[in-house]
Amino acid sequence: MSENILSIQNLKTYFYTRAGIAKAVDDISLDIGKGEIVGIVGESGSGKSVTGFSVMGLVDPPGEIAGGSVKFKGQEIIGQSEEEWRRFRGAKVSMIFQDPMMTLNPVLRIDTQMMEAITAHEKVRKDEARRRSIEALAMVGIPSPEERIKAYPHQFSGGMRQRVAIAIGLINKPDLIIADEPTTALDVTIQSQILSEMQALCRKTGMALIWITHDLTVVAGLAHKVAVMYAGRIIEQGNVQEILDHPMHPYTHGLIGSVPSRNKRGEPLFQIPGMTPSLINIPEGCSFRMRCPYADDQCLVAPERVEMGDRRIVRCHHPL
């Protein structure tokens, strides 16, 4: 078994609003080993991104981490001081956001921002920081990086800005990268190139990667392990091939069945009935029971995590 880079145990992240408590992340546990790629999938609002923000210490009021543990290389990181978080973010764990303008400052040139990302954690000469910045831009497919590094963010297209944000995330070669749907705005060719680079980097350096997405086809070709989230909880996790070939939770089965390529030509696309419940008003028992074709009275009681062998975990009274 590989050494765990990150170990999440019973993590709870709640947002306290006037309407009530939104349980964005509700008692999830997940281990990520050295060099391992883990995909976190689920519908919008399932808690995927908040899980990433919790690991990075980026949950601010009215949100807070209400319980649980997050250990990085065996050391607890919840409750660190702001100075410790500053040393931690970017150097040990880096996050690539869905919106590149959460990473980029619109009034600073790209070279200034990339070089600052290096010098904030290492004492290196200016020319060395620039060289590494240009290499990172070239790696994510930006043409003429020596010239483009002098530009401002507004001089790039949305897809090019996203590539710059990915380059900044990779520039310090952190032990763990959390990628929150970073290739959504990119064309298929560049997406494939970046995914290939990420895989190669994980193999070569032992870097671990959490890939947050709603796209199962990306996870199928990228990840070793997958965790399926629904209404703030991980309802199934395990080896990616096993879960995609033989899903055990009805929600996972529905997600896979919703992929257009699995529907017959000319027939209506399959979809999971109903809507994701409000995180402020999650129904009692199994949160998926209102949409599940197998639900019965037993589902009025919340199912526990059950290990099905070989680190396969499912949270369901009626696994398929």
Side-chain angles (χ1 to χ4, degrees):
M1 188 181 296
S2 58
E3 171 196 347
N4 282 338
I5 292 287
L6 190 76
S7 182
I8 301 171
Q9 296 296 323
N10 307 113
L11 177 66
K12 298 179 181 180
T13 304
Y14 296 167
F15 288 82
Y16 300 90
T17 71
R18 290 180 181 178
I21 301 173
K23 297 180 179 180
V25 174
D26 190 18
D27 193 26
I28 71 165
S29 297
L30 184 66
D31 291 328
I32 296 96
K34 187 176 181 180
E36 193 170 42
I37 302 175
V38 177
I40 299 181
V41 300
E43 292 174 273
S44 296
S46 61
K48 308 185 301 295
S49 297
V50 177
T51 299
F53 294 152
S54 301
V55 173
M56 294 293 292
L58 296 175
V59 178
D60 294 320
E64 71 171 28
I65 294 176
S69 165
V70 180
K71 291 183 178 178
F72 178 80
K73 291 186 172 180
Q75 181 179 349
E76 182 64 55
I77 59 174
I78 292 178
Q80 290 187 125
S81 68
E82 193 53 45
E83 180 59 36
E84 288 172 321
W85 276 118
R86 272 197 293 268
R87 290 197 298 267
F88 179 77
R89 297 187 195 112
K92 297 177 181 177
V93 178
S94 186
M95 188 164 185
I96 304 169
F97 299 96
Q98 188 171 2
D99 179 5
M101 293 313 289
M102 288 183 71
T103 301
L104 301 175
N105 187 325
V107 299
L108 294 178
R109 285 185 359 177
I110 297 298
D111 56 357
T112 302
Q113 299 186 59
M114 296 191 75
M115 290 162 68
E116 278 186 356
I118 296 171
T119 56
H121 300 287
E122 297 179 52
K123 291 183 178 180
V124 297
R125 296 201 333 247
K126 191 174 180 180
D127 59 340
E128 172 64 13
R130 176 177 287 275
R131 183 190 65 76
R132 283 171 53 181
S133 300
I134 291 170
E135 281 183 359
L137 290 181
M139 188 175 72
V140 296
I142 290 183
S144 306
E146 297 88 350
E147 295 300 319
R148 301 308 301 272
I149 198 171
K150 301 172 188 174
Y152 287 88
H154 73 268
Q155 294 174 297
F156 287 84
S157 67
M160 294 284 263
R161 283 197 292 266
Q162 187 61 286
R163 291 191 229 177
V164 174
I166 292 170
I168 291 174
L170 296 171
I171 205 164
N172 286 313
K173 296 182 173 61
D175 296 309
L176 170 68
I177 284 187
I178 302 170
D180 187 6
E181 302 197 51
T183 58
T184 303
L186 305 181
D187 62 75
V188 178
T189 306
I190 296 300
Q191 183 185 59
S192 176
Q193 178 186 334
I194 288 172
L195 293 177
S196 178
E197 289 285 357
M198 290 281 202
Q199 283 180 313
L201 202 59
C202 290
R203 282 195 303 268
K204 184 178 178 181
T205 66
M207 179 187 80
L209 174 64
I210 298 175
W211 195 273
I212 297 169
T213 183
H214 60 267
D215 191 341
L216 285 168
T217 56
V218 170
V219 169
L222 175 71
H224 303 116
K225 188 164 73 177
V226 62
V228 182
M229 287 194 73
Y230 183 79
R233 289 186 166 185
I234 293 176
I235 48 93
E236 186 170 7
Q237 64 173 286
N239 175 278
V240 66
Q241 210 56 55
E242 286 182 5
I243 285 184
L244 293 179
D245 289 344
H246 304 288
M248 300 185 77
H249 196 285
Y251 175 66
T252 311
H253 186 267
L255 273 185
I256 295 168
S258 302
V259 175
S261 62
R262 297 180 69 92
N263 288 259
K264 290 184 179 180
R265 187 178 181 87
E267 291 186 3
L269 292 176
F270 172 80
Q271 58 183 348
I272 302 171
M275 298 285 290
T276 309
S278 165
L279 294 175
I280 294 175
N281 189 26
I282 296 175
E284 288 186 23
C286 176
S287 54
F288 186 62
R289 65 182 175 82
M290 309 295 287
R291 307 172 71 187
C292 180
Y294 306 97
D296 58 17
D297 290 345
Q298 190 179 1
C299 302
L300 293 170
V301 178
E304 298 295 326
R305 285 161 41 99
V306 178
E307 292 197 20
M308 309 297 285
D310 195 28
R311 295 194 290 174
R312 181 80 179 270
I313 295 169
V314 65
R315 194 188 284 260
C316 181
H317 290 300
H318 307 293
L320 303 179

